[in-house]
Amino acid sequence: GALLRSIVEKFTPQAQKAGVRLEVDVPGDLPSITGDGDRLAQVFTNLVDNALRFTPSTGQVILGAKNVGAEMEFSITDTGAGIPEEALPRLFDRFYQVDASRAGGESHGAGLGLAIVQEIVHAHGGKIGVRSQVGHGTTSVIHLPLSQAATTVARKRK
């Protein structure tokens, strides 16, 4: 929760300038996860930056987190341009770029960001996926394992 709130704080000026509403939807009683805070911040920074880049003025980007069994599920949902279905399977490939003519595509990098994001998530024992529909936005979903102590507490609650 704290990490997502800090990411929202970091991107609030960019979101305001773009006319995009940026929110965090996180319950107060989330269990903890164990990981490299800097690398996880890199994951969310990349995903939020992409979401803001492809979301038009008056759109929104929402960061969420919830406990799902022995995992934490994070989501970054935008109301942006969306990603063509045929591009989704290659989205995390190194150097792959979705058509640069898409709205927001004029400022793009080398196509390494999402590949690095996936590597960081996998290094933390997690998985990442993307759902998208052109014209309706994109949701990136990350599942990361809870810390051992949090998993024990969650089991005792059941």
Side-chain angles (χ1 to χ4, degrees):
L3 175 60
L4 295 185
R5 284 187 280 280
S6 72
I7 296 294
V8 166
E9 185 177 319
K10 173 182 176 179
F11 280 99
T12 293
Q14 180 181 336
Q16 288 175 339
K17 184 177 177 183
V20 175
R21 193 169 73 238
L22 180 60
E23 299 178 3
V24 63
D25 180 17
V26 177
D29 62 344
L30 287 176
S32 62
I33 61 171
T34 301
D36 182 329
D38 290 338
R39 295 293 68 85
L40 291 173
Q42 184 179 358
V43 166
F44 292 108
T45 294
N46 182 286
L47 295 172
V48 171
D49 184 55
N50 285 346
L52 287 172
R53 188 176 313 135
F54 293 103
T55 299
S57 180
T58 73
Q60 68 179 2
V61 174
I62 301 172
L63 284 74
K66 62 183 179 181
N67 180 212
V68 180
E71 295 180 326
M72 185 73 67
E73 179 182 286
F74 298 93
S75 61
I76 297 86
T77 301
D78 68 59
T79 57
I83 300 167
E85 186 176 342
E86 62 273 10
L88 291 174
R90 298 198 54 213
L91 206 55
F92 295 101
D93 291 354
R94 287 186 177 276
F95 306 111
Y96 180 75
Q97 296 180 352
V98 178
D99 181 9
S101 66
R102 292 186 331 145
E106 62 278 349
S107 60
H108 54 81
L112 290 172
L114 291 177
I116 293 168
V117 161
Q118 184 180 50
E119 286 181 20
I120 293 169
V121 169
H122 287 169
H124 282 81
K127 57 189 177 221
I128 183 169
V130 175
R131 297 185 308 266
S132 188
Q133 185 177 5
V134 173
H136 296 291
T138 301
T139 299
S140 299
V141 179
I142 299 167
H143 289 265
L144 294 173
L146 296 176
S147 68
Q148 191 61 40
T151 302
T152 302
V153 170
R155 284 187 189 138
K156 287 180 181 177
R157 287 183 185 164
K158 290 183 179 181

